Amino acid sequence: MGSNWRTTTLADISERIGDGLHGTPKYSDDGEYYFVNGNNLESGAIVFKDSTKRVGLEEFNKHKKELGSSTVLVSINGTIGNVALYNGEEVVLGKSACYINLKKGVSKEFVKYILSGYLFQEYIQRCSTGSTIKNVSLKMMRDFAFRIPDTEIEQDKAVELLKLLDHKINLNNKTNQTLEKMAQALFK
């Protein structure tokens, strides 16, 4: 592969890194907009739960952030390190949801892999403050350094390779579970 990898930081590849509302919005049981925190970020997506509070249009307009097709979300307070891709949901973010709006030419799938990976997860565990409720500052987020291929095309190629490996790992795990069950059955 003829790609060049360079060292960068989240700040360098982002238009903006911010977090949500530090406070409580005016909730509305029949509101159409969800108030999303870090615990709503699961398996790469925003997940609405029965316990997820909602707000009305006025609160939405007052507190909404500029999120778009290049936005990646990370939980930075309480539960830290959950990663999700923003997918057009009309939401108000709470303070434990950090949003990263990537610059053009940066693959959000690649960044999702980086943030889900060991290096970043270890970094935020090490850098987080607070004994009971863990907290990662926006400065720590901006300062996180990692290596990235120069072009979005090369980043996407790396993602495809990682997806293949993930698939292979999942298949191996399923095979191992099946073999384990067979061995137990034979043993009995």
Side-chain angles (χ1 to χ4, degrees), residues 25 38 48 54 69 83 93-94 116-117 146 155-159 163-164:
F48 303 124
R54 294 185 299 191
S69 60
V83 182
L93 299 179
S116 303
F146 58 98
Q155 292 163 31
D156 286 335
K157 279 185 189 170
V159 167
K163 281 183 178 171
L164 279 172

Side-chain angles (χ1 to χ4, degrees), residues 176-186:
N176 287 343
Q177 285 166 2
T178 305
L179 289 171
E180 181 70 32
K181 283 180 186 153
M182 287 165 72
Q184 283 173 356
L186 283 170

Side-chain angles (χ1 to χ4, degrees), residues 20 32 38 40 43 50 52 66 86 95 97 107-108 127 165 170 172 176:
E32 293 177 35
N40 294 100
S43 310
D50 292 341
T52 305
E66 293 299 318
Y86 178 72
K95 70 171 179 175
S107 161
K108 73 176 182 178
C127 294
L165 288 170
N170 288 337
N172 284 345
N176 287 343

Side-chain angles (χ1 to χ4, degrees), residues 28-92:
S28 165
D29 289 339
D30 56 357
E32 293 177 35
Y33 307 93
Y34 284 95
F35 183 62
V36 168
N37 265 305
N39 61 359
N40 294 100
L41 312 180
E42 283 179 16
S43 310
I46 296 175
V47 178
F48 303 124
K49 306 172 181 179
D50 292 341
S51 60
T52 305
K53 302 255 197 259
R54 294 185 299 191
V55 299
L57 181 62
E58 193 182 329
E59 286 293 284
F60 172 72
N61 285 330
K62 194 158 99 184
H63 302 299
K64 69 180 179 191
K65 301 291 181 188
E66 293 299 318
L67 309 175
S69 60
S70 67
T71 301
V72 181
L73 301 163
V74 184
S75 60
I76 59 168
N77 182 273
T79 309
I80 61 173
N82 290 358
V83 182
L85 296 179
Y86 178 72
N87 214 2
E89 299 92 344
E90 293 192 312
V91 295
V92 171

